[in-house]
Amino acid sequence: MPTRILPAGSDPDAVRSLTTLLSQLPDAEPQPPAADSTHLVDTLARLAAESVDELPEVVVVHERIGPVPALELIREVALRFPAVGVVLVTTDAGPGLFAAAMDSGARGLVALPLSYEELAGRVQAVAQWSTGVRRHLGHGADVLGGASGTVVTVSGAKGGTGATLTAIQLALAAQASGRATALVDLDLQTGDIASYLDIQFRRSVVDLATITDISPRVLADAVFRHDTGLALLLAPGEGERGEEVTDRAARQIVSALRSRYEIVVIDCGSQLGGAGAAAVEMADTALLVTTPDVVAVRAAKRTVRMWDRLQIRKAEETTVVVNRHTRNTEIQPALVQRITGTALARTAVPANFKELQAVVDAGRVHELDAKSTVKQALWALAGELGLVKTGGEGAHRGAGRGAPGFRRRKE
């Protein structure tokens, strides 16, 4: 059986040279290369969703890859697809990088300039390891794809657009339908999830920032279990400590949550930092909440363009949610979509703060009346995005299944 090898790198010339050499290996079947980290993870997730047997035995990652650094990318691949062997191609083959690569989950390292013998030997050894792992697990092969929950980020075009309320209600809808759900506050300096739910807490996301291997027990110690069943990972009470959560730490935290919960909803706030950017880049669905006014829509457009420039998210892979919508406003959802160039959620959230004021002031937004038009719209949005189980008791009656194009990693 031929060995399927997926090369990945951002330098076209380097990847072309690598692919040419891989094609000369005996029984090798090189796959179309992945141009960046996002493309690689998306490709593996798509193949795993079809069947674990569709996954390549070997992934060869060139050191020149982005936007996620090579070692962080290897860590994510190893966590999510543990029976796929990863080989790192690098100019630095010293013991320091070798140890770091092994700690990240790589199965081998090949030095540049490439040597046919070294590459062939390493790829063959990794392919045998991958085949052995799959054979050993046998019918338990579902484990090979890794537990892979759905990650949804909710960002505000600017402050005050309703991103936090949206994130909370989406998470509540998913949890009420029977899905194990985590709600994360990555608005690290000004996060308000704890205030909206009127809870006191000791641990926060900062407690996971320096941990390189987040085990289920460590994760469980950091989360707060809410009365609704939600697992909450909260922003620090001291906003200045938010700087301790780097983009690398955020990637590890999101990966750990994805492997533990079916649904992970992340409130990223309206200010872009390294942690929030990492979460948006990793998300299956990235929501951007705006209100139908000129200032907010302009802010949404700026955010979308910034995400695109920084290679965090393409406009067409971002979904705009219009909050506080009224029929008589001049700016309607279709216009927002044209201005931003994004996808558009079919569900618009109506303007009705009177329904919200009492529960917001009391810090009990989880007790919002089921008859509330705002709650009905947000739970319908959860259904539209595919976050609730079909027929689940928490799903809004009119909620539909997720629309094509909303989800990045899962079809």
Side-chain angles (χ1 to χ4, degrees):
M1 180 178 176
T3 300
R4 292 163 297 180
I5 308 170
L6 177 56
S10 299
D11 185 326
D13 293 335
V15 172
R16 190 178 305 112
S17 175
L18 174 61
T19 304
T20 299
L21 197 55
L22 289 172
S23 65
Q24 298 174 13
L25 302 183
D27 297 323
E29 185 179 300
Q31 308 295 299
D36 55 36
S37 58
T38 301
H39 185 193
L40 173 61
V41 176
D42 283 352
T43 299
L44 293 175
R46 175 178 54 80
L47 294 172
E50 294 174 3
S51 170
V52 171
D53 293 334
E54 297 298 320
L55 285 168
E57 285 76 23
V58 182
V59 169
V60 181
V61 176
H62 195 281
E63 64 179 357
R64 295 180 184 175
I65 194 165
V68 179
L71 292 182
E72 294 182 26
L73 174 62
I74 291 170
R75 186 184 299 276
E76 182 175 357
V77 171
L79 178 64
R80 294 186 60 189
F81 313 99
V84 174
V86 184
V87 175
L88 175 64
V89 176
T90 176
T91 53
D92 178 11
L97 181 61
F98 181 85
M102 296 305 105
D103 288 342
S104 296
R107 301 300 307 177
L109 186 147
V110 176
L112 289 168
L114 290 172
S115 159
Y116 174 86
E117 290 77 13
E118 183 182 9
L119 182 63
R122 180 51 50 198
V123 167
Q124 182 179 14
V126 173
Q128 290 175 349
W129 170 85
S130 176
T131 302
V133 169
R134 300 183 191 201
R135 185 183 303 115
H136 175 72
L137 292 177
H139 295 294
D142 286 345
V143 179
L144 296 175
S148 185
T150 297
V151 176
V152 178
T153 55
V154 184
S155 304
K158 66 179 190 65
T161 57
T164 299
L165 180 67
T166 299
I168 292 172
Q169 291 297 329
L170 291 178
L172 287 171
Q175 179 69 33
S177 75
R179 289 192 159 178
T181 304
L183 175 60
V184 185
D185 198 342
L186 274 188
D187 188 358
L188 295 171
Q189 291 187 344
T190 58
D192 283 326
I193 286 179
S195 297
Y196 273 91
L197 298 176
D198 191 27
I199 57 176
Q200 303 295 322
F201 63 99
R202 293 184 301 105
R203 297 191 179 276
S204 73
V205 66
V206 171
D207 293 295
L208 299 177
T210 59
I211 299 175
T212 56
D213 184 13
I214 303 175
S215 67
R217 181 172 181 176
V218 169
L219 185 62
D221 287 342
V223 302
F224 179 96
R225 183 65 63 177
H226 192 255
D227 293 342
T228 58
L230 285 177
L232 305 177
L233 187 56
L234 299 166
E238 305 82 15
E240 67 274 13
R241 295 200 64 195
E243 296 181 358
E244 299 176 32
V245 185
T246 64
D247 56 342
R248 179 176 181 177
R251 292 184 188 282
Q252 294 176 352
I253 292 167
V254 173
S255 294
L257 288 164
R258 189 198 293 272
S259 68
R260 174 66 179 81
Y261 296 95
E262 292 180 76
I263 304 293
V264 181
V265 180
I266 305 174
D267 178 7
C268 293
S270 58
Q271 298 295 319
L272 183 68
V280 171
E281 193 275 329
M282 294 178 69
D284 301 292
T285 302
L287 301 181
L288 182 62
V289 182
T290 185
T291 48
D293 58 84
V294 172
V295 175
V297 174
R298 285 178 176 172
K301 185 177 181 179
R302 286 198 305 271
T303 298
V304 169
R305 288 183 171 180
M306 178 173 61
W307 287 359
D308 192 34
R309 288 195 304 272
L310 297 176
Q311 298 183 33
I312 297 170
R313 199 91 182 182
K314 295 179 181 179
E316 60 269 23
E317 295 175 342
T318 302
T319 301
V320 162
V321 176
V322 178
N323 188 23
R324 300 176 197 147
H325 171 258
T326 59
R327 293 183 179 180
N328 57 4
T329 184
E330 292 185 13
I331 300 178
Q332 292 295 314
L335 178 59
V336 177
Q337 181 183 25
R338 288 199 298 271
I339 292 173
T340 59
T342 61
L344 176 69
R346 296 191 301 271
T347 305
V349 183
N352 200 335
F353 184 71
K354 288 183 179 180
E355 297 178 351
L356 303 173
Q357 188 166 5
V359 293
V360 169
D361 289 345
R364 308 285 292 180
V365 295
H366 54 289
E367 295 179 354
L368 182 60
D369 195 318
K371 295 180 181 179
S372 161
T373 58
V374 174
K375 179 175 180 176
Q376 289 177 0
L378 288 171
W379 285 41
L381 176 62
E384 179 182 337
L385 299 175
L387 303 185
V388 299
K389 287 184 179 179
T390 304
E393 63 180 29
H396 180 260
R397 185 179 303 174
R401 297 190 177 213
F406 279 177
R407 310 278 287 280
R408 272 184 100 193
R409 304 192 195 280
K410 298 178 182 179
E411 299 298 324

